[in-house]
Amino acid sequence: MKMRPCGLSFGALAVAACLGGLLPAQAVFAQSGQAVDVVPAGNRIEKIMAVEQGGSVVLKLTLAKPLAAMPASFSVANPARIAFDFPDTANALGRNSQTLNAGDLRSVNVVQVGDRTRLVLNLSRVYPYETRQEGNDLLITLATGQIREATSSLAQQTTQFAPAAVGREEKHAIRDINFRRGANGEGRLVVDLSDPNAGIDIRQRGESLIVDFLKTDVPEQLRRKLDVLDFGTPVSSVLTQTQGGNVRMTVTPRGLWEHNAYQSDNQFVLEVKPVKEDPNKLTQGPGKERFSGEKLSLNFQNIDVRSVLQVIADFTNFNIITSDSVQGNLTLRLKDVPWDQALDIILQARGLDMRKNGNVIWIAPRDELAAREKLDLEAKAQVGDLEPLRTESFQINYHKAKSVAEFLKSKDQSVLSKRGSASFDERSNKIFVSDVPSRLEEIRRLITEVDVEVRQVLIEAQIVEATDTFASNLGMRLGFGAKTGGQIGTTSGGVPIFRNTIGSGNLSSTGYQAGQISTIPDFNNSLGVNLPASQINNKSVGAFSFALWNSAATRYIDLEVSALEADGRGKVVSRPRVMTADKAEALIEQGTEVPYQTQSGGTAFPTVSFKKANLALKVKPQITPDGKVMMSLEVNKDQPRYDQPVAGNNVPIDTKHVKTDVVVENGGTVVIGGIYIQEVGNNTTKIPLLGDVPVLGYLFRNTERKDNKTELLVFITPRIINDQLGLR
């Protein structure tokens, strides 16, 4: 590889280095006849060439060593782009772009981030492509001689954005749009597509991300703006709208962020991740590692510290300012070490420290930096003690000005300076702060974060009481009578006992004549067996009875069969609902207050107190950052039992009470409690021995069977209210 020498002289050090790009490919340092290589680790892209062959364009990439695997790639329809990702590979071209103008291949861009390099082909239009490897060369062939649909070819790539089918006029559709918060605080926009062949174009415009879905429709209910600021991600809003025959999504992030996108079948996902800038970190970007700079190798014997720092400055394109008190020599040997780690090792070896401001690094002894910073802080404190005060008013919209002013004046916070003061006006709901200008800016940011609209939640409870009852009862009444005084029995009070009889036996035509029997026999006075069926739930008992006798009979038999079977099902549904603000407790109740009489000691007159028997819902919701609702719930379903009075004619109360804490998704329904009761019983009353006789034993026994089931379920459904979109 050719070297472009650059003459540098630092005392006894003679340096010849290649600095012909943003990230230098190689540097050679010589001292006392010893050469030291400074090279990045892994593979390198060293050369790019493009030629036209027939109806195709062949792009040839020459690398330092053969690839272990073919690079992942994806295609974008508008503008026409094809991208290849090379892991553990550096850009050794000495430039970030190269103009080719071979057919429809206009140019290439080579961008290196960390140890990964992305190669982007800039085309006039999208074509199918093939890749193959020949030794250290990677050949990318674009079939420009014939335009054919690129869908099938692009779908075989490892990473893709649902390639666009060139020349295809079919319409695609967006079925659903969801926004979620990832585990690491990233905003995740999930788009469900009708098919995986929709063309997608992603680009950054200013501070926003533009995602275009080509030849795609979107339903009317999805054409809206999603305010996702409360999710706590870098994304503040997502606007979906139609533009011609396409659908455009405008994603508005905030702060420092980076994005990536991928597609799996019919689902497209765009992730926007937060990037936190560390002022003490030389290289910014994602990753948990402490050092992430370009790797290099250094081998020096007794070299001046200032010279080594200058070498690192030339390698990284950082501006390094070295204090005059930085002196001394050192010996070091580093192999494939990130340059920021190498700088940290040098600083620790010589008791130095650094401060970074943009792309300028100031290096000095630790004591010198600490003393200078102390002087700066003391100077700022003196300026604060002498700086004139300024008064500003702040309009409070969603809080009470009194509470905000008391918060600012609290001893537990340090927003106001020792000279600052705060007052409020309840009529206009404003606060007035007098302080130095720097503190006023902090107070303005604080009020902006605190004074936000409180979101509201609608909580609906559904209490379902279901009953399923079954009971059967069978009994007998058997009587024997005798003929007395020419009549067969008598009645009690002259009222025939068989007035409800629904059937009778076959009476003898020779013995029974009109007027011979003045009254019907009194069944109550002639009972031999009295085991009738009892009432069930206040329902009447069906009875069948008959009597056998004639005018010549001296003995007769009366029989009554009584039975009842009851089967009932019922359901009672109560639906209390209440709306409240986030983190504000709400209560709704309906019912009666039942009086209770109590006898006070030492007095002759009772006292009366009241107890509530209500249907009540008490809840305190809290909206979580990921859009769920956490609730402290208390549900009561009480009912007075006027049919079962206790001592002193007091009324007992059936109580059903649930108290719990739950987390529910927005619009979801959860069962927070349930009670299931089943009562099964069998009861038999009989005459000993006679009741056990087969068949005839039914005449001498009473059988009762019941099976009752009661179930109580409590459902809770929270819904977050959005002022613009209603319930969501």
Side-chain angles (χ1 to χ4, degrees):
M1 179 178 178
K2 294 183 179 181
M3 302 285 295
R4 182 157 60 98
C6 301
L8 300 173
S9 177
F10 305 105
L13 176 64
V15 181
C18 175
L19 302 174
L22 180 62
L23 295 175
Q26 187 180 33
V28 177
F29 301 92
Q31 180 183 6
S32 303
Q34 185 177 11
V36 181
D37 290 338
V38 183
V39 297
N43 208 345
R44 303 187 304 275
I45 299 177
E46 298 181 340
K47 189 176 181 181
I48 297 178
M49 295 180 59
V51 295
E52 292 188 69
Q53 294 181 354
S56 302
V57 174
V58 179
L59 183 68
K60 179 180 179 181
L61 273 72
T62 302
L63 296 98
K65 55 185 178 181
L67 293 172
M70 300 301 289
S73 63
F74 62 88
S75 175
V76 179
N78 185 22
R81 300 286 188 268
I82 300 177
F84 297 86
D85 286 338
F86 297 85
D88 196 23
T89 303
N91 175 17
L93 296 174
R95 55 190 178 275
N96 294 330
S97 63
Q98 180 174 337
T99 303
L100 299 174
N101 292 328
D104 287 323
L105 177 59
R106 300 193 305 269
S107 62
V108 296
N109 295 99
V110 184
V111 181
Q112 180 180 347
V113 179
D115 60 349
R116 186 185 70 169
T117 298
R118 172 168 291 183
L119 175 71
V120 181
L121 310 185
N122 302 314
L123 305 170
S124 300
R125 47 186 171 175
V126 174
Y127 295 101
Y129 59 92
E130 296 178 353
T131 58
R132 70 179 187 275
Q133 187 173 356
E134 295 181 358
N136 291 5
D137 298 332
L138 177 66
L139 302 179
I140 303 173
T141 304
L142 304 176
T144 61
Q146 53 180 348
I147 301 177
R148 66 178 184 265
E149 296 180 354
T151 303
S152 59
S153 174
L154 296 177
Q156 300 174 0
Q157 306 304 319
T158 305
T159 306
Q160 60 176 347
F161 283 175
V166 179
R168 180 175 295 181
E169 298 298 333
E170 63 175 324
K171 273 285 187 179
H172 313 285
I174 295 178
R175 294 179 176 175
D176 196 11
I177 301 173
N178 292 305
F179 187 86
R180 303 169 185 168
R181 173 186 168 91
N184 298 320
E186 69 272 13
R188 184 173 299 167
L189 181 64
V190 182
V191 181
D192 291 334
L193 302 169
S194 59
D195 59 88
N197 300 323
I200 304 175
D201 178 27
I202 304 175
R203 62 187 182 276
Q204 183 174 350
R205 178 190 294 175
E207 297 296 329
S208 301
L209 279 174
I210 304 298
V211 184
D212 286 335
F213 296 85
L214 308 179
K215 298 180 181 179
T216 304
D217 291 331
V218 61
E220 183 67 28
Q221 64 269 20
L222 297 180
R223 301 176 191 175
R224 58 182 182 176
K225 182 178 181 180
L226 298 177
D227 184 1
V228 295
L229 187 62
D230 293 336
F231 281 82
T233 70
V235 181
S236 59
S237 64
V238 179
L239 175 62
T240 304
Q241 56 188 352
T242 58
Q243 193 172 58
N246 304 331
V247 176
R248 171 166 293 184
M249 288 187 182
T250 304
V251 181
T252 305
R254 56 176 182 169
L256 297 176
W257 52 272
E258 64 176 3
H259 76 281
N260 60 63
Y262 58 90
Q263 182 172 342
S264 176
D265 294 331
N266 296 352
Q267 191 174 77
F268 170 77
V269 179
L270 173 66
E271 289 185 348
V272 180
K273 301 179 180 179
V275 177
K276 296 183 179 179
E277 184 176 1
D278 187 356
N280 297 321
K281 190 175 180 181
L282 294 174
T283 57
Q284 305 294 331
K288 299 181 180 179
E289 66 277 0
R290 181 182 176 188
F291 304 106
S292 57
E294 185 71 27
K295 294 182 179 180
L296 53 77
S297 298
L298 297 174
N299 189 354
F300 293 110
Q301 297 291 331
N302 196 27
I303 188 174
D304 181 56
V305 175
R306 301 169 66 90
S307 300
V308 177
L309 296 177
Q310 185 62 42
V311 171
I312 293 178
D314 294 334
F315 182 78
T316 61
N317 283 339
F318 270 103
N319 300 313
I320 296 181
I321 300 175
T322 306
S323 175
D324 293 338
S325 55
V326 176
Q327 302 293 336
N329 298 337
L330 56 82
T331 299
L332 74 159
R333 175 183 175 85
L334 302 175
K335 182 68 174 178
D336 293 338
V337 176
W339 71 264
D340 48 349
Q341 184 179 8
L343 177 60
D344 185 71
I345 293 172
I346 295 171
L347 298 180
Q348 291 185 17
R350 303 304 305 172
L352 305 175
D353 204 349
M354 70 170 185
R355 296 295 183 267
K356 178 177 175 291
N357 186 4
N359 66 340
V360 178
I361 301 175
W362 178 32
I363 296 178
R366 291 191 182 96
D367 296 340
E368 181 179 337
L369 289 176
R372 183 177 294 273
E373 290 177 347
K374 180 180 179 181
L375 291 176
D376 291 341
L377 293 175
E378 290 177 352
K380 291 180 180 179
Q382 293 177 359
V383 170
D385 293 339
L386 301 175
E387 190 176 4
L389 300 179
R390 193 174 70 187
T391 302
E392 285 192 16
S393 63
F394 300 91
Q395 179 68 57
I396 307 301
N397 299 316
Y398 303 105
H399 285 270
K400 292 183 178 180
K402 180 179 179 181
S403 61
V404 177
E406 291 176 350
F407 168 74
L408 294 177
K409 294 186 294 184
S410 173
K411 297 180 180 180
D412 298 332
Q413 54 82 29
S414 58
V415 179
L416 293 176
S417 67
K418 59 183 179 181
R419 300 170 57 201
S421 62
S423 59
F424 64 92
D425 177 47
E426 291 185 353
R427 185 180 60 84
S428 61
N429 203 41
K430 287 185 177 181
I431 62 172
F432 303 91
V433 181
S434 179
D435 211 330
V436 296
S438 59
R439 291 300 179 96
L440 290 177
E441 292 297 328
E442 296 180 6
I443 294 171
R444 182 179 293 105
R445 288 194 297 268
L446 175 64
I447 293 177
T448 302
E449 294 182 2
V450 172
D451 188 29
V452 295
E453 183 178 2
V454 180
R455 303 172 70 184
Q456 300 184 87
V457 185
L458 176 66
I459 299 100
E460 179 180 0
Q462 183 167 306
I463 306 171
V464 181
E465 299 175 86
T467 58
D468 185 356
T469 60
F470 174 81
S472 64
N473 204 323
L474 178 64
M476 298 289 180
R477 291 166 58 132
L478 183 63
F480 304 91
K483 183 177 180 181
T484 60
Q487 295 181 347
I488 303 177
T490 60
T491 60
S492 176
V495 180
I497 191 62
F498 286 145
R499 59 187 179 277
N500 292 328
T501 301
I502 59 175
S504 62
N506 186 15
L507 302 179
S508 174
S509 59
T510 60
Y512 179 73
Q513 301 293 334
Q516 289 182 342
I517 302 177
S518 61
T519 58
I520 299 176
D522 186 355
F523 198 20
N524 290 329
N525 294 333
S526 58
L527 289 177
V529 178
N530 187 15
L531 296 172
S534 60
Q535 289 187 343
I536 301 177
N537 296 331
N538 297 324
K539 297 183 182 297
S540 300
V541 178
F544 172 80
S545 61
F546 60 90
L548 296 177
W549 77 89
N550 56 31
S551 59
T554 60
R555 298 289 186 269
Y556 59 87
I557 298 176
D558 298 327
L559 176 65
E560 179 181 300
V561 180
S562 58
L564 176 65
E565 182 174 299
D567 189 359
R569 291 178 177 86
K571 182 172 69 172
V572 178
V573 180
S574 305
R575 287 195 179 112
R577 63 172 63 183
V578 65
M579 182 184 294
T580 182
D582 184 22
K583 303 180 185 67
E585 186 177 276
L587 171 65
I588 184 173
E589 60 182 356
Q590 178 191 14
T592 59
E593 291 192 355
V594 180
Y596 280 84
Q597 292 185 359
T598 57
Q599 190 73 32
S600 301
T603 62
F605 300 99
T607 60
V608 179
S609 60
F610 291 86
K611 183 176 181 181
K612 291 183 178 181
N614 291 342
L615 169 64
L617 171 62
K618 185 178 181 181
V619 60
K620 183 177 181 180
Q622 178 180 346
I623 302 175
T624 62
D626 56 354
K628 297 181 180 179
V629 182
M630 182 168 58
M631 296 174 288
S632 296
L633 285 164
E634 192 169 355
V635 182
N636 278 76
K637 180 66 167 64
D638 301 336
Q639 184 176 3
R641 296 298 301 271
Y642 295 104
D643 57 336
Q644 297 179 358
V646 295
N649 291 326
N650 290 328
V651 178
I653 297 176
D654 284 346
T655 300
K656 303 174 182 67
H657 185 201
V658 179
K659 184 177 181 181
T660 183
D661 293 338
V662 294
V663 178
V664 189
E665 291 186 356
N666 179 26
T669 301
V670 64
V671 180
I672 65 170
I675 300 175
Y676 179 80
I677 301 174
Q678 183 177 13
E679 181 182 0
V680 179
N682 290 283
N683 186 24
T684 302
T685 304
K686 62 182 178 180
I687 297 176
L689 299 179
L690 295 178
D692 297 327
V693 177
V695 182
L696 294 178
Y698 286 103
L699 300 176
F700 303 98
R701 67 175 177 231
N702 173 286
T703 303
E704 181 181 356
R705 181 168 62 91
K706 63 179 179 179
D707 185 359
N708 298 332
K709 302 174 185 176
T710 303
E711 187 171 10
L712 172 68
L713 295 174
V714 181
F715 301 86
I716 292 293
T717 303
R719 291 182 176 88
I720 301 175
I721 305 300
N722 186 294
D723 291 340
Q724 298 177 352
L725 307 180
L727 291 176
R728 67 171 188 173

